[in-house]
Amino acid sequence: MVPESLLPDSGRRVFVALGDSFTEGVGDRDERLPNGVRGWADRVAEKLAKARPGWKYANLAIRSKRLRHIIDEQLEPALRMRPTLITLYAGGNDILDLKTDMAALMADYDQFVAKLAGTGATVVLFTGFDVKVSALLEPLKKRNTYYNQRVREIAAKHGALLVDYWCLDAFHDRRMWDSDRLHMSKAGHKYLAGQVLDQLGVPHKIKRKDWEPAARLSVREWEQQQRRWVHDWVLPLFGRKLRGVTLGDTLTPRWPEPVKVPRKGLKKLAAETPDDVPAP
């Protein structure tokens, strides 16, 4: 059963997900859904509605957004929805920029969480994972460690629930990651949804995928993968940085207004909602 803290006396059950590509669902491809992805937040919304019908769900997250964009573009719309559950992951894109002042970033994050917690909603925060993308990114580990420590402190300060992503050993398996090595695969998103539901006390049957041990790559296979990764992901990323554009520039939120989650899931809702008619 959903904890009482998620069910205020008014009976409102509104879940709003905020953030960047992590929450938008990048890596969990599904062309039947808005922006062509599904993600852990959709899965959480569906399990909430299964446990207790009547939940509405909005997802304002857009890939590539930095913390300042998330605050400027997502905070006020979220507050207008009067949510009873809010999830937030933000700051990952800022960490990748070596010019970012980490202390200033986390001060802004703290103020952001204070405003979310001030609504009376249950707030769920996430640490970041130590993604083993490339030795070139190892200098960022100290910044990621600092970010995670501050997120833990801020969660405790504001009474937020914490999904300590950093400590989830399942994500050491490369099959939990998409081909860009930065975003979770479908299996990763599904597993993370289970971790969020565990924090909320919501029943589910999501289990870690039972794979055989990953096969060791030969030197030739590893080199081929490296070349493909650089060609498909690294070079386009640097090209976008040089042009001053991001993958999220032309996108809009996947579920910009709270939609009532149907019994058979959000795929059914997307299939039944014409593109030019807002979902209920």
Side-chain angles (χ1 to χ4, degrees), residues 11-250:
R12 287 180 57 78
R13 293 187 282 276
V14 180
F15 166 30
V16 180
L18 308 176
D20 53 25
S21 56
F22 174 86
T23 300
E24 185 189 351
V26 173
D28 186 4
R29 298 175 185 83
D30 193 324
E31 295 303 322
R32 294 168 292 182
L33 289 166
N35 293 1
V37 295
R38 187 179 181 189
W40 64 265
D42 277 24
R43 298 170 187 275
V44 167
E46 290 164 2
K47 295 299 183 184
L48 285 170
K50 183 176 181 181
R52 182 161 299 199
W55 276 91
K56 292 186 177 182
Y57 163 58
N59 189 326
L60 305 183
I62 295 179
R63 63 197 73 178
S64 307
K65 296 296 183 181
R66 297 191 179 206
L67 177 63
R68 66 178 182 274
H69 302 133
I70 295 167
I71 294 172
D72 291 346
E73 300 168 14
Q74 300 177 26
L75 175 58
E76 289 304 321
L79 296 181
R80 287 196 297 269
M81 296 175 195
R82 296 168 52 219
T84 51
L85 170 64
I86 303 169
T87 60
L88 170 68
Y89 176 78
N93 292 308
D94 300 86
I95 292 173
L96 293 173
D97 185 349
L98 293 176
K99 295 180 293 185
T100 298
D101 181 329
M102 291 299 296
L105 176 75
M106 298 315 296
D108 290 342
Y109 181 98
D110 187 1
Q111 292 178 14
F112 188 17
V113 174
K115 291 178 181 177
L116 299 177
T119 65
T122 296
V123 178
V124 181
L125 305 179
F126 302 80
T127 56
F129 194 74
D130 183 23
V131 184
K132 300 297 184 183
V133 176
S134 165
L136 295 174
L137 296 184
E138 279 302 298
L140 297 177
K141 186 169 185 176
K142 184 179 291 186
R143 297 158 67 82
N144 205 14
T145 300
Y146 173 78
Y147 171 86
N148 287 342
Q149 184 56 41
R150 291 290 292 123
V151 169
R152 294 183 185 109
E153 293 169 357
I154 290 166
K157 175 181 176 181
H158 297 292
L161 298 177
L162 178 69
V163 177
D164 207 340
Y165 191 27
W166 177 271
C167 299
L168 299 180
D169 290 340
F171 286 96
H172 289 294
D173 191 309
R174 66 175 182 265
R175 289 166 291 190
M176 297 289 271
W177 299 93
D178 196 20
S179 54
D180 66 358
R181 306 182 186 176
L182 283 172
H183 297 100
M184 291 177 288
S185 64
K186 185 179 292 292
H189 277 279
K190 188 172 182 179
Y191 181 78
L192 187 67
Q195 298 301 302
V196 176
L197 292 164
D198 285 344
Q199 287 295 319
L200 297 173
V202 178
H204 65 88
K205 296 181 180 179
I206 298 173
K207 296 181 180 179
R208 180 175 175 176
K209 197 167 180 64
D210 186 18
W211 282 306
E212 293 294 325
R216 292 181 64 87
L217 299 177
S218 68
V219 172
R220 183 177 181 181
E221 289 171 330
W222 181 85
E223 289 177 342
Q224 289 175 337
Q225 283 196 4
Q226 289 296 101
R227 285 196 295 270
R228 189 180 309 119
W229 175 65
V230 170
H231 178 271
D232 292 349
W233 299 106
V234 178
L235 294 179
L237 174 62
F238 278 105
R240 289 192 298 273
K241 283 187 174 295
L242 289 172
R243 298 194 306 275
V245 300
T246 75
L247 292 173
D249 289 347
T250 60

